[in-house]
Amino acid sequence: MTTNEPPTPDRVRPVVLPPALLILLLGLWGIGRGGSIWRDEAVSYQVAHRSLPEIWRMLHEIDAVHGLHYLLLHTVFRCWDGGLLALRLPSVLAMVLAAAALAEIGRRLAGPRAGLLAGLVFALVPAVQQYAQEGRSYASVCAAVVVGSLLLVRAWQRPRASAWAAYGAVMLLGALLHEFAVLAVAGHAVTLWWGRAGRRVWRGWAVTTALVLVGLLPLVLISRAQADQVAWIRTPDWSDLWAPALTGAVGALCACLRQPAVPGAVPRLRALALPLLVLPPAVLILVSYLDPLYVDRYVVFSYAGLALLLGLALDRGWARLPRALARWPTAGRPVVAAFALAALVLAPLPLERGLRTPQSRPNDVAAAARAARDLGRPGDAVLFVPGSRREAALYDPAAFADLTDIALVRSGADSGTINGVEAAPERIRAALATVHRVVLVTDPRPRGASARDRAKLAVLAARFKPCRSTAVRGITVTLYAVRGSCD
């Protein structure tokens, strides 16, 4: 027999506080990551520091899908230019909101203990902690989807126009932050079908969803016109599939557990959680075999479904704990319970520590900027290969103040682009003929795909020789000098 209390639809209980506090502490722990910042975050940082007309102009050309996030960060930096802390703190707070909303969903649908455990599990998920400390939109999208799911439950339990309006507003906000959040709305359709929603609920959801899609349509059209910016995404292979397959299987096993009846709880927890876990990544993966679009961070909100299902499973295990502890001496029972709780919290600690190091991200443009400053001297030229790898200079222009970017003809802010516009290959060759030392910032394995990049590398190979090189996380910085003049 369950001891869970019936849900009270209109009052949030203290069960949401421990998960919110835990993710807040974990989010603030090591938030600076040793002063490191990777390319995508550096883009957020430098775009958010532009003026509103400059941001608006850029969004007409590129990266409209992240436009709302840039505008929100711009507001943050206008109020408080707190560097990396200001860049990442909104993501921490978004995950705090997501953990609290997730605990409340669990409480309403499976009881307070299941809600508490689901919120704590969510806070301990490595991907949640990773994107809670990232200056991108994914944590905010996750918060919007989880809060939207809570509002769906509320609208289902008490269907009113105001409840559906709140649900639609939050889901539209999430989709405008990143359009793939609309996949959660598709997951909610499966929830309604699985939970055998009545006509009134279906009608409210359908009208609300239609308005969300209409509101999202302009962003979809603009982002499709800017599809070249995601041309780097490849067709999924097994390395992309094993994680969603594993989490989906674990979630399905948890969904098979018998859930005790909770008065007034609709839908059943598994009817909400399993579609949220499985459907968004599955749809994106399947579409990616026609048009590659799948990147795991685009659907990080699916971990909310996994946390709800694991919370339910742990709740059922906890309910059986007294019977298991009956075999132990009375004095030893608190020790066993404390050990089990400590194991749950401390087991992922080595991985959590790793997430707070510069090595946890694909590259480190702050370290590249320091290396360029140390290798170069006033008057040296600087080149970037590929030309789109200018994030180090955009993030830390002071490190490049004494270097001359001989390929750049228009800055990103002036041209309405992210990295600026480079000169034609002939002009780059001519400029390289006039300098004696060049600092090259490049990927560890530069490919020189464009004509401009091929021109840079050809002149460097013919006229210059490498003198010193510094390899940082995901980026190589090399000093070249005219042959025979390294010193």
Side-chain angles (χ1 to χ4, degrees), residues 6-326:
T8 53
D10 293 317
R11 187 154 61 96
V12 175
R13 295 296 184 89
V15 71
V16 308
L17 297 179
L21 180 60
L22 178 59
I23 193 61
L24 177 63
L25 295 176
L26 290 173
L28 295 177
W29 169 34
I31 193 171
R33 297 205 306 268
S36 65
I37 181 173
W38 76 292
R39 286 186 178 121
D40 283 11
E41 284 188 296
V43 170
S44 293
Y45 185 88
Q46 61 100 355
V47 170
H49 278 84
R50 297 182 185 182
S51 67
L52 284 177
E54 289 171 341
I55 295 175
W56 187 250
R57 181 184 178 189
M58 187 202 78
L59 297 181
H60 284 76
E61 302 295 331
I62 192 172
D63 230 11
V65 69
H66 295 295
L68 181 56
H69 182 66
Y70 293 147
L71 294 173
L72 292 174
L73 284 180
H74 173 82
T75 303
V76 170
F77 284 122
R78 286 292 300 270
C79 297
W80 172 52
D81 197 349
L84 292 181
L85 180 58
L87 176 70
R88 293 168 182 160
L89 188 58
S91 293
V92 174
L93 298 179
M95 284 303 192
V96 169
L97 177 60
L102 196 74
E104 177 63 9
I105 292 173
R107 184 189 73 81
R108 287 173 179 250
L109 300 185
R113 189 172 56 217
L116 173 63
L117 291 169
L120 294 176
V121 168
F122 179 77
L124 294 173
V125 172
V128 170
Q129 294 187 36
Q130 176 178 344
Y131 292 106
Q133 293 190 335
E134 197 125 301
R136 298 293 279 175
S137 64
Y138 309 113
S140 300
V141 174
C142 184
V145 168
V146 177
V147 172
S149 300
L150 174 59
L151 292 172
L152 174 69
V153 172
R154 179 172 175 264
W156 192 334
Q157 292 175 350
R158 303 183 65 178
R160 291 180 295 185
S162 59
W164 287 115
Y167 167 74
V170 172
M171 294 308 298
L172 178 59
L173 174 64
L176 291 176
L177 283 166
H178 198 285
E179 57 190 351
F180 290 154
V182 77
L183 294 172
V185 179
H188 291 162
V190 177
T191 297
L192 266 62
W193 170 79
W194 193 352
R196 299 180 180 179
R199 289 184 179 179
R200 187 180 178 188
V201 174
W202 271 110
R203 184 167 56 250
W205 176 86
V207 171
T208 303
T209 299
L211 294 175
V212 169
L213 295 177
V214 169
L216 181 61
L217 183 59
L219 177 60
V220 172
L221 295 176
I222 294 172
S223 63
R224 293 309 298 167
Q226 300 174 358
D228 287 347
Q229 73 180 88
V230 292
W232 56 271
I233 301 177
R234 55 181 173 78
T235 302
D237 57 23
W238 174 244
S239 64
D240 303 303
L241 300 180
W242 72 266
L246 178 61
T247 56
V250 171
L253 288 174
C254 293
C256 292
L257 295 174
R258 186 180 65 85
Q259 178 181 333
V262 179
V266 288
R268 287 294 185 93
L269 184 142
R270 59 174 170 260
L272 175 68
L274 192 59
L276 184 61
L277 168 63
V278 173
L279 188 139
V283 170
L284 204 55
I285 287 170
L286 290 175
V287 170
S288 293
Y289 285 103
L290 299 175
D291 183 10
L293 292 172
Y294 176 74
V295 180
D296 56 356
R297 59 180 177 268
Y298 292 171
V299 288
V300 70
F301 55 82
S302 65
Y303 284 103
L306 177 65
L308 284 170
L309 292 165
L310 287 174
L312 176 63
L314 290 171
D315 176 50
R316 301 309 300 144
W318 192 278
R320 292 177 172 84
L321 187 61
R323 185 182 304 172
L325 289 180

Side-chain angles (χ1 to χ4, degrees), residues 404-485:
T404 303
D405 192 340
I406 58 174
L408 188 68
V409 292
R410 295 180 68 192
S411 69
D414 290 340
S415 61
T417 63
I418 293 177
N419 290 287
V421 176
E422 292 193 335
E426 297 75 17
R427 290 186 59 182
I428 295 175
R429 292 191 188 94
L432 280 170
T434 65
V435 299
H436 294 83
R437 287 166 47 104
V438 177
V439 175
L440 176 68
V441 181
T442 185
D443 288 341
R445 297 178 180 177
R447 297 179 181 179
S450 72
R452 292 180 177 87
D453 294 331
R454 288 195 297 270
K456 297 171 192 176
L457 296 177
V459 175
L460 286 175
R463 184 168 182 258
F464 296 81
K465 71 173 182 179
C467 299
R468 294 184 294 277
S469 183
T470 300
V472 299
R473 178 70 176 175
I475 303 173
T476 301
V477 183
T478 306
L479 173 65
Y480 284 83
V482 172
R483 294 187 178 278
S485 59

